[in-house]
Amino acid sequence: MSNTSKKSEGAAEKLGGKLKGVAGKVLGNERMEAEGRAKELKGAAKVEAAKAAERNKGKLEEVVGAAKNRVGAVIDNEQMQAEGRAKELKGEARQKANR
């Protein structure tokens, strides 16, 4: 399962928990309210775990891209430098998108 689908699953679980918690509060059912809150927190944790995994992928892309960029510069290969820089920027963007 991809991190994107894990994020979506977590967001859905978080929303479902929020709704259950509100319903429990409206109905005066403390157990339902507590179960909803627990489900909401579990969903939020899934979202954060997926974001962390994406940030890690982004950091790895950034490091690999930077290395390729530097090697390209040392051996005077402009294409390698450009590919490395592109990968580096892609990694930075992935990290930024998952803060």
Side-chain angles (χ1 to χ4, degrees):
M1 179 181 280
S2 73
N3 286 320
T4 302
S5 59
K6 287 179 185 177
K7 266 199 282 191
S8 297
E9 181 184 299
E13 189 169 351
K14 183 178 173 183
L15 178 60
K18 182 77 166 174
L19 293 172
K20 186 173 184 176
V22 169
K25 188 169 189 152
V26 168
L27 297 172
N29 185 330
E30 290 180 8
R31 181 177 178 178
M32 180 186 262
E33 189 177 350
E35 288 172 353
R37 182 68 180 138
K39 188 173 182 179
E40 184 180 355
L41 291 172
K42 184 177 176 187
K46 282 184 182 181
V47 170
E48 288 306 313
K51 284 176 154 184
E54 283 296 306
R55 285 191 304 269
N56 287 338
K57 278 185 182 179
K59 189 62 177 175
L60 181 61
E61 275 181 328
E62 180 186 357
V63 169
V64 169
K68 188 173 185 177
N69 183 358
R70 301 315 181 277
V71 169
V74 168
I75 65 172
D76 198 30
N77 183 328
E78 289 181 12
Q79 182 177 347
M80 183 182 268
Q81 277 183 278
E83 289 171 358
R85 183 64 183 145
K87 189 169 189 104
E88 190 175 359
L89 291 172
K90 183 180 175 188
E92 289 172 4
R94 184 185 299 257
Q95 291 175 76
K96 192 173 187 176
N98 288 286
R99 287 190 182 153

